[in-house]
Amino acid sequence: MTNHKIIHDLEEIKKQLEFDKILKKDILTLEEAALYLGISKSTLYKKVCTGTIPSYKPGNKLRYFLRKELETWVLNSNAGINTT
């Protein structure tokens, strides 16, 4: 096995561990929500600005998302987004 293959495999394991961590959380950051939905942060932000995806911004600080609401949005839209 080459070093390149080992590094690639380790990166894939790291991505999977990050995604598994997201699946255990109820409240997600913008970055986590984008990863969960499989879209870019800019695409997610556009959907937030148009009111397509619900989000919360307590105290006008960071924006947060409820994972259950993201699931509902995916299931009730024609977004074609893969959550696996």
Side-chain angles (χ1 to χ4, degrees):
M1 186 177 278
T2 66
N3 284 343
H4 179 70
K5 174 72 171 140
I6 292 169
I7 291 170
H8 177 267
D9 289 350
L10 288 174
E11 287 297 322
E12 290 299 315
I13 291 168
K14 180 181 174 184
K15 286 179 191 176
Q16 186 61 48
L17 289 172
E18 289 172 0
F19 194 78
D20 289 348
K21 184 176 104 177
I22 289 171
L23 291 176
K24 295 177 183 174
K25 294 177 71 176
D26 293 326
I27 300 172
L28 307 177
T29 64
L30 181 83
E31 292 81 9
E32 291 169 335
L35 180 62
Y36 180 71
L37 294 172
I39 60 177
S40 69
K41 291 187 288 185
S42 62
T43 298
L44 177 57
Y45 189 72
K46 288 174 190 173
K47 293 185 181 303
V48 166
C49 289
T50 60
T52 306
I53 292 181
S55 68
Y56 303 89
K57 195 172 178 183
N60 269 344
K61 301 277 184 182
L62 297 175
R63 189 169 302 277
Y64 295 98
F65 302 82
L66 295 178
R67 189 174 43 81
K68 293 288 185 190
E69 289 181 348
L70 295 176
E71 291 172 4
T72 299
W73 176 77
V74 169
L75 294 173
N76 292 328
S77 72
N78 294 321
I81 295 174
N82 184 1
T83 60
T84 61

